[in-house]
Amino acid sequence: MLTRTCLCGGAAAALLSLSPSIRRSSFLFPSTQTLTLPFSSRFSSHRSSSSLRYFSAAAAVATEEEQKAAVAVKPPPWKAAIDFKWIRDNKDMVAANIKNRNSNANLELVLELYEKFLTLQKEVERLRAERNAVANKMKGKLEPSVRQALVEEGKNLKEGLLALEEDLVQLSDWLQLEAQCIPNSTHPDVPVGGEESSVVRKTVGSPKEFGFAVKDHLQLGKDLDLFDFDAAAEVSGSKFYYLKNEAVLLEMALVNWAIAQVSKRGFTPLITPEIVRSSVVDKCGFQPRGQTTQIYSIEGSDQCLIGTAEIPVGGIHMDSILSESVLPLKYVAYSHCFRTEAGAAGTATRGLYRVHQFSKVEMFVFCQPEDSDSYHEELIAIEEELFTSLGLHFKTLDMATGDLGAPAYRKFDVEAWMPGLGRYGEISSASNCTDYQSRRLGIRFRPSSPEGIPNSKKGKGASSPPTRFVHTLNATACAVPRMMVCLLENFQQEDGSVVVPEPLRPYMGGLDIISPK
């Protein structure tokens, strides 16, 4: 009867899809701006004027048939710690952010559901208090008739309360599903608009000049016997490839070089699982099973292939409370990545530029909220240092709101010049996701007690600062296929050979040039 379909842009967004009979009800989805929610028909026979004023008024809008068509919201598989009060108090800012990011989130519905939830919650609490008052009255010595009246009143209250509590749970679930569609807030300096509105932060180097006709990486790979796309297409399908000869050494060199360089900066190396639960993909802000998803789902299971190591690294501290003393936690993770690349086609994405499977080295940081902006700058600085050391010409961009995924508060992209393709191509990005992912993954830290202020209590009941959500950041140290595109095309020679950048040579057994066979 009920399914969850990801329709909201960006993050894993859940929208309720109802059966046709329920969906037709103007009671559930009225044409006016006023939303009236159904309440369990079981409660109608137990309603009393003293206890159920709110629900008599609410249910009066609906016909008896509509009341029987109570919405059975499928409970969300997980819940984010969403600050609904903050959303309500900052609704104009949230609405503008949704618009600027081209999100499909329905803020008005979220706010309306939240107000209904608060009203229903208050009524449930009032009924609980009234039920307790009746129970207290029955403790004393009473006339049989009085006791019997209290028994009947208590019974009505109990049955009615059970029905309302069910309605409260369903309303809470619906509210959670809709609110999960709302994207992260946006840094005030992020340019507003589509990708064309992105601002160049920095430019390194200049396009290399060639005294001969340049080849693209596809032709170079064919001449140097480095790739086999045809055999891979027969074995696996389009956008797969075999690496051969020096290309194998080059991939290994890029991975080892990137991990070694980033590890020197205090990052802990990881090799991650490449199959994760769909819920973890969802919590990190990706659509595991939406119509436009880039994620490969494993049929008959709740698992997916990862599209980036950001997902398993983000989940490594899921549902945990970290000590402030361990922050920041910095990881550099190697994994294979799998992406459907739905809709990606054309000459701009040919060859290694856009493929279904590739190797990548990813940086990831868990930190205190006040430090995330500075770590974002650190991550992009590391990327720029890595690419500069290889002698690449690139530019760093502050990406506009329309190009931000739902988790990103701010995102810097690095686009390198690819002479064979005749354009700049994205080789890396660095995103500050603030507490968007940690609120969904349940990752908090406990601040240390302020110095000089001892706890007023000791032991289990000792007072301590409340936990806070960590901030998460991610950045690409090396996406291997696109780095290969850059290196082959930028360092090709007139005789058809390719020079290996000096930083990579120790990782390729001292090889300094890839020559035609």
Side-chain angles (χ1 to χ4, degrees):
M1 172 178 167
L2 295 168
T3 58
R4 291 178 63 239
T5 306
C6 290
L7 297 177
C8 294
L15 186 66
L16 195 63
S17 177
L18 302 173
S19 67
S21 61
I22 295 179
R23 196 166 37 242
R24 284 195 298 268
S25 172
S26 60
F27 173 54
L28 291 174
F29 296 97
S31 58
T32 66
Q33 292 298 310
T34 302
L35 175 69
T36 306
L37 296 174
F39 300 101
S40 177
S41 59
R42 298 189 305 277
F43 204 8
S44 58
S45 61
H46 303 294
R47 234 176 239 126
S48 67
S49 59
S50 60
S51 305
L52 309 171
R53 291 185 298 273
Y54 170 77
F55 294 99
S56 297
V61 181
T63 65
E64 182 177 353
E65 180 180 353
E66 288 169 333
Q67 289 183 44
K68 291 179 181 179
V71 181
V73 179
K74 184 177 180 180
W78 54 272
K79 289 191 175 183
I82 298 171
D83 191 340
F84 294 105
K85 183 177 183 300
W86 186 90
I87 293 173
R88 182 189 63 185
D89 294 345
N90 298 273
K91 62 180 181 181
D92 291 342
M93 184 175 71
V94 175
N97 187 52
I98 289 172
K99 179 181 179 181
N100 291 339
R101 295 171 72 127
N102 299 321
S103 169
N104 293 325
N106 190 338
L107 177 61
E108 290 302 317
L109 178 57
V110 170
L111 294 175
E112 202 160 5
L113 289 172
Y114 181 53
E115 292 303 320
K116 293 288 185 183
F117 173 82
L118 292 177
T119 303
L120 180 52
Q121 188 178 53
K122 288 179 181 177
E123 184 66 12
V124 167
E125 291 171 355
R126 191 183 68 79
L127 286 181
R128 287 171 180 166
E130 191 170 338
R131 180 195 60 184
N132 293 338
V134 170
N136 288 333
K137 289 179 183 179
M138 296 178 64
K139 291 179 180 179
K141 190 174 182 180
L142 301 170
E143 293 292 330
S145 59
V146 175
R147 180 173 293 278
Q148 183 59 37
L150 289 174
V151 168
E152 287 296 321
E153 185 177 2
K155 180 181 178 182
N156 287 342
L157 286 169
K158 180 181 178 181
E159 293 180 358
L161 186 59
L162 285 173
L164 292 187
E165 287 172 337
E166 284 188 23
D167 292 329
L168 185 64
V169 169
Q170 290 189 12
L171 182 55
S172 175
D173 289 344
W174 191 0
L175 173 61
Q176 174 71 207
L177 291 173
E178 292 294 339
Q180 285 178 16
C181 300
I182 297 176
N184 198 359
S185 301
T186 304
H187 191 286
D189 292 342
V190 170
V192 176
E195 185 178 359
E196 69 283 353
S197 300
S198 301
V199 175
V200 176
R201 281 170 47 99
K202 184 176 184 179
T203 300
V204 175
S206 57
K208 185 176 179 180
E209 296 183 2
F210 296 88
F212 55 90
V214 299
K215 303 175 182 177
D216 65 14
H217 69 282
L218 279 169
Q219 187 62 50
L220 288 164
K222 181 178 180 181
D223 294 345
L224 297 172
D225 196 21
L226 300 178
F227 318 131
D228 193 333
F229 287 93
D230 294 336
E234 292 295 326
V235 171
S236 301
S238 63
K239 294 189 181 294
F240 288 92
Y241 58 95
Y242 285 97
L243 294 182
K244 300 170 64 179
N245 300 313
E246 291 91 344
V248 176
L249 301 180
L250 184 56
E251 166 154 333
M252 300 299 181
L254 284 166
V255 169
N256 287 319
W257 164 77
I259 291 175
Q261 293 302 310
V262 177
S263 296
K264 291 177 183 178
R265 294 164 168 84
F267 287 70
T268 300
L270 288 177
I271 293 180
T272 73
E274 293 170 358
I275 295 177
V276 297
R277 298 184 187 279
S278 300
S279 59
V280 178
V281 179
D282 211 344
K283 291 174 184 178
C284 286
F286 298 88
Q287 292 186 6
R289 286 180 165 82
Q291 292 181 345
T292 60
T293 184
Q294 296 294 319
I295 301 294
Y296 282 106
S297 296
I298 300 175
E299 188 175 0
S301 78
D302 70 338
Q303 295 172 312
C304 301
L305 298 178
I306 64 171
T308 168
E310 172 190 346
I311 296 169
V313 181
I316 196 170
H317 297 295
M318 187 168 60
D319 299 323
S320 61
I321 298 177
L322 306 171
S323 170
E324 182 184 46
S325 62
V326 306
L327 298 177
L329 288 168
K330 300 179 178 182
Y331 296 103
V332 55
Y334 166 74
S335 74
H336 294 105
C337 304
F338 306 87
R339 300 184 184 180
T340 66
E341 299 296 359
T347 58
T349 62
R350 66 185 183 272
L352 290 174
Y353 189 81
R354 198 177 297 279
V355 290
H356 291 310
Q357 176 184 330
F358 59 95
S359 301
K360 184 158 71 80
V361 178
E362 185 81 1
M363 298 179 284
F364 199 97
V365 176
F366 299 89
C367 69
Q368 296 184 49
E370 54 270 23
D371 297 333
S372 63
D373 281 339
S374 63
Y375 284 117
H376 196 199
E377 293 292 341
E378 178 182 327
L379 289 172
I380 191 63
I382 292 173
E383 291 181 342
E384 291 170 347
E385 289 175 22
L386 292 175
F387 306 142
T388 299
S389 72
L390 293 179
L392 299 179
H393 163 51
F394 62 88
K395 56 185 179 180
T396 304
L397 299 97
D398 193 351
M399 302 307 293
T401 54
D403 195 63
L404 299 181
Y409 173 66
R410 193 177 194 182
K411 181 166 76 88
F412 302 140
D413 277 5
V414 176
E415 295 185 355
W417 178 247
M418 301 175 178
L421 295 180
R423 63 181 178 87
Y424 289 94
E426 180 190 341
I427 60 171
S428 177
S429 67
S431 298
N432 182 359
C433 297
T434 62
D435 63 356
Y436 181 91
Q437 292 175 326
S438 62
R439 284 181 174 273
R440 299 154 76 92
L441 290 162
I443 308 173
R444 305 170 184 253
F445 74 98
R446 189 176 300 282
S448 303
S449 297
E451 293 184 11
I453 305 178
N455 289 338
S456 59
K457 299 180 182 179
K458 295 182 179 181
K460 186 177 180 181
S463 61
S464 60
T467 59
R468 301 172 65 193
F469 289 100
V470 301
H471 278 196
T472 62
L473 303 96
N474 64 83
T476 308
C478 179
V480 171
R482 293 193 182 179
M483 289 296 287
M484 282 193 176
V485 173
C486 288
L487 297 179
L488 293 175
E489 294 187 0
N490 279 285
F491 296 104
Q492 60 182 296
Q493 306 296 301
E494 189 170 8
D495 64 359
S497 64
V498 174
V499 174
V500 177
E502 190 171 343
L504 299 178
R505 294 174 189 175
Y507 301 93
M508 294 188 66
L511 183 68
D512 59 0
I513 192 165
I514 303 173
S515 301
K517 306 298 180 289

